Amino acid sequence: MSNIPSELKYATSHEWVRNEGNGIVTVGITEHAQELLGDMVFVELPDVGDNISTGDDVAVAESVKAASDIYAPITGEVVEVNEDLEDSPELVNSDAFGDGWMFKVKIEDAGELDNLLDAEGYENSIDED
């Protein structure tokens, strides 16, 4: 069973969102997603300043098994990317909810956070897979 922190929000496409409380959210992929992909070998991130919309494919996580698109769970402007992933993509495997974060977004509409799943809802969605 994957770890699913209760303080985060989730997209059914396996991204997590942490509200930093200042109009900024941090985005990564869930432990469940990184377990399915296996050992990360490369992560392609969006550019700072990119405007992204919910559902856009904005990044790519490449593992020994496959490459997988990472979708924007929320609309806004990318304000920071995790540059540590360039040299250490394995951080996604070792700490998916911490050092393995991918990018930060200045959200356009905080109400979109209500459209994301809570931990229980996400757990139910992966149980159905």
Side-chain angles (χ1 to χ4, degrees):
M1 178 53 82
S2 297
N3 177 30
I4 305 174
S6 61
E7 69 275 17
L8 303 178
K9 294 286 207 164
Y10 301 89
T12 55
S13 51
H14 307 296
E15 292 81 16
W16 57 261
V17 175
R18 180 176 41 241
N19 187 351
E20 303 297 347
N22 52 0
I24 306 291
V25 296
T26 302
V27 177
I29 63 170
T30 65
E31 192 172 288
H32 175 75
Q34 67 84 19
E35 286 172 354
L36 291 175
L37 287 167
D39 295 337
M40 293 293 159
V41 294
F42 180 74
V43 178
E44 181 182 325
L45 297 170
D47 293 323
V48 171
D50 282 357
N51 288 305
I52 60 174
S53 297
T54 302
D56 288 352
D57 57 338
V58 295
V60 176
E62 189 173 330
S63 71
V64 293
K65 292 182 182 175
S68 181
D69 289 331
I70 308 299
Y71 299 97
I74 200 148
T75 299
E77 178 185 350
V78 176
V79 294
E80 186 176 348
V81 297
N82 186 353
E83 295 176 356
D84 291 342
L85 297 180
E86 286 181 23
D87 296 327
S88 303
E90 67 276 7
L91 289 171
V92 175
N93 297 113
S94 62
D95 194 8
F97 297 112
D99 291 341
W101 67 276
M102 295 193 165
F103 54 92
K104 295 185 179 187
V105 177
K106 182 177 182 180
I107 53 177
E108 197 172 286
D109 176 7
E112 277 192 50
L113 290 168
D114 295 334
N115 298 333
L116 297 170
L117 300 170
D118 60 13
E120 183 180 347
Y122 179 69
E123 184 174 5
N124 290 337
S125 79
I126 60 177
D127 285 345
E128 293 169 5
D129 285 347

